[in-house]
Amino acid sequence: MKVKYFIKSATVLFLLGMMILPTSCKEDEADPGEPYFRIEGEPTGLNTSSTATNQKYTVRSNRPWKVVSQDAEQKWVRSFPDEGEDDGIFTIQVNANSTVFDRMANFAFVVDGQEQPILFRVEQAAALPSLILTPSPLISVLSGGGPVEIAVNSNVEWNYTLSDASWLSNPTVTKSRIAFTAAPNTTGDMRESVLTVTPVEVQYAALETQVTIRQITQRTDDGQPVGFVYFEDNFDWVLEFTKGEYDHIKIINDWINANYPSGGYPTSGYPAVTAQMNTHNLVYEDHPAGYLYEEIIHAQHGYTDINPDKKTVYFTGHYMKFGVTDGQSGLQRTIPNTDAEKMTNVRMTFDATPCITGTGNYDQVLLLVEITGPGSVGVDDGLTKLSAEIDIRQTNRTFPWAFKPCEVVLYGVTSATQVAFKTNKTGADTGTFRYYLDNLKFEKHSVVTP
């Protein structure tokens, strides 16, 4: 009987313990205290320009929270992340505003399921009104006719007119493009039509832009003899600014000859060749007003930097250097002494070499020649505007470091043809694709066939 009594008593105690246990655990949970939510600095909004913006904010809270847009349809601004637990960080991400209108969006903070009474307002300024046509101001069309396209980059509404639409048919118009088909020119004379693009709203009337569409009458050779030199530039004019300094190729070759005349070139320790004259920062102090690179390169010598935002055109020694790490560039120009109405086939030659690093490695550079306007590259078809890749790569640690001669034939070009040389990379590509250029020359290659 005592044994049975003991078993029953133990069972009762165990059951009582199980009943008490959950209550004890619940009482042990940490109490988060009174709810609170604040943003460091106590901002009530964000005012920003038309450019893209990211602004971080730090949250102090002891409850779950959300950042909720009051306009579910808007896509130009958001919070990332848009929710969190306790303390955290969120970023207001604002896209660029390409419109001519200011815009605003409100965000609410929801804390532990309760929307807070104060809204967070994001206000973004409008972009400046713009209307840009490309190409401009002249489009040249071959006598045989064909497609004519004008790119329109604008943030205002616009209309267009043609001064002479008799030979320009099949207009196709989108928000970013105007296109026509030019008829063959059998009139015996050059003809042109002025395209005028005008903003719809009077307040933007000053943005009105015109492009002249000009068609030559036929494929007529300019009459210059084969071998005639239209233009030649050995870039010795660069010496006026460098005084012969920053000659990277000579610096490296002299160092190799002095220290490693029999070969056995090292894998490090090559002289730094970063010193150079960035033409975007250059001021020619001998001129009373000072010359910036635009006057030196463009106005005086006819070249245009194809990627001016990167600021990667340099004077070095008696030649030029292009590119930095993660930034590529090149030059563009017309061909002097060519004719506006008659064509020519031109042999374009130049010397190029890649940059060398402190380890004796050469940048792996492939160049391209591209034209806009009349003509074609490498083949006489009037359509091919881009050359095949021109390989100027060199085997690492081979000396002497020297320029490599390059050649491209341009067919059917006129004074309206723009010729550019550049790498096969875009201005936004990462990596090192630096190169040097010297001895640019354009000479008559052959007679244009009708």
Side-chain angles (χ1 to χ4, degrees), residues 56-124:
K56 291 184 178 181
Y57 297 95
T58 300
V59 171
R60 300 299 181 193
S61 182
N62 62 350
R63 293 291 192 275
W65 50 269
K66 294 182 179 180
V67 185
V68 182
S69 173
Q70 297 296 280
D71 180 2
E73 299 300 320
Q74 68 85 14
K75 303 296 182 183
W76 61 272
V77 58
R78 68 167 186 159
S79 172
F80 182 81
D82 58 5
E83 61 182 333
E85 297 280 346
D86 303 325
D87 292 348
I89 294 176
F90 69 90
T91 300
I92 294 296
Q93 300 178 336
V94 185
N95 296 335
N97 185 4
S98 61
T99 74
V100 292
F101 305 103
D102 296 335
R103 55 190 183 184
M104 178 192 71
N106 288 316
F107 289 84
F109 297 110
V110 179
V111 181
D112 205 17
Q114 297 296 316
E115 183 173 315
Q116 303 302 292
I118 298 178
L119 295 176
F120 186 91
R121 175 169 292 181
V122 179
E123 296 179 273
Q124 187 176 35

Side-chain angles (χ1 to χ4, degrees), residues 335 344-346 348 369 371 376-377 408-413 419 442:
I335 306 174
T344 184
N345 299 332
V346 171
M348 174 186 179
V369 171
I371 68 170
S376 55
V377 182
V408 174
V409 178
L410 312 176
Y411 293 95
V413 297
V419 184
F442 296 97

Side-chain angles (χ1 to χ4, degrees), residues 291-337:
Y291 273 136
L292 291 178
Y293 89 104
E294 289 91 346
E295 286 78 23
I296 297 168
I297 293 181
H298 181 63
Q300 293 185 22
H301 296 281
Y303 297 100
T304 302
D305 186 348
I306 64 171
N307 193 13
D309 290 342
K310 287 292 184 179
K311 295 180 171 61
T312 62
V313 177
Y314 303 89
F315 292 155
T316 55
H318 55 87
Y319 41 90
M320 299 192 73
K321 174 180 179 276
F322 305 91
V324 293
T325 301
D326 301 338
Q328 291 80 54
S329 192
L331 293 181
Q332 177 175 279
R333 68 164 305 120
T334 58
I335 306 174
N337 302 309

Side-chain angles (χ1 to χ4, degrees), residues 182-356:
N185 186 358
T186 58
T187 65
D189 296 316
M190 182 179 68
R191 60 186 178 185
E192 63 182 33
S193 179
V194 177
L195 170 73
T196 302
V197 178
T198 306
V200 172
E201 298 185 46
V202 176
Q203 60 181 316
Y204 304 129
L207 297 177
E208 181 177 280
T209 305
Q210 292 185 328
V211 171
T212 298
I213 305 172
R214 180 179 297 164
Q215 187 179 36
I216 59 178
T217 182
Q218 60 182 354
R219 283 175 54 94
T220 303
D221 186 79
D222 67 356
Q224 296 292 357
V226 173
F228 175 80
V229 177
Y230 293 97
F231 176 76
E232 187 171 12
D233 191 353
N234 60 10
F235 294 98
D236 279 355
W237 54 270
V238 170
L239 289 167
E240 181 180 359
F241 309 100
T242 65
K243 310 302 182 185
E245 297 181 10
Y246 321 114
D247 190 336
H248 297 172
I249 295 175
K250 185 177 185 302
I251 290 170
I252 292 295
N253 286 337
D254 287 352
W255 181 78
I256 287 292
N257 291 334
N259 295 280
Y260 303 94
S262 301
Y265 308 122
T267 58
S268 63
Y270 288 75
V273 292
T274 55
Q276 55 220 339
M277 301 184 75
N278 189 319
T279 58
H280 287 260
N281 301 326
L282 179 65
V283 176
Y284 183 25
E285 296 177 352
D286 292 345
H287 189 279
Y291 273 136
L292 291 178
Y293 89 104
E294 289 91 346
E295 286 78 23
I296 297 168
I297 293 181
H298 181 63
Q300 293 185 22
H301 296 281
Y303 297 100
T304 302
D305 186 348
I306 64 171
N307 193 13
D309 290 342
K310 287 292 184 179
K311 295 180 171 61
T312 62
V313 177
Y314 303 89
F315 292 155
T316 55
H318 55 87
Y319 41 90
M320 299 192 73
K321 174 180 179 276
F322 305 91
V324 293
T325 301
D326 301 338
Q328 291 80 54
S329 192
L331 293 181
Q332 177 175 279
R333 68 164 305 120
T334 58
I335 306 174
N337 302 309
T338 50
D339 194 279
E341 300 180 25
K342 298 178 181 180
M343 298 179 177
T344 184
N345 299 332
V346 171
R347 176 185 289 107
M348 174 186 179
T349 57
F350 56 92
D351 296 334
T353 187
C355 185
I356 198 171

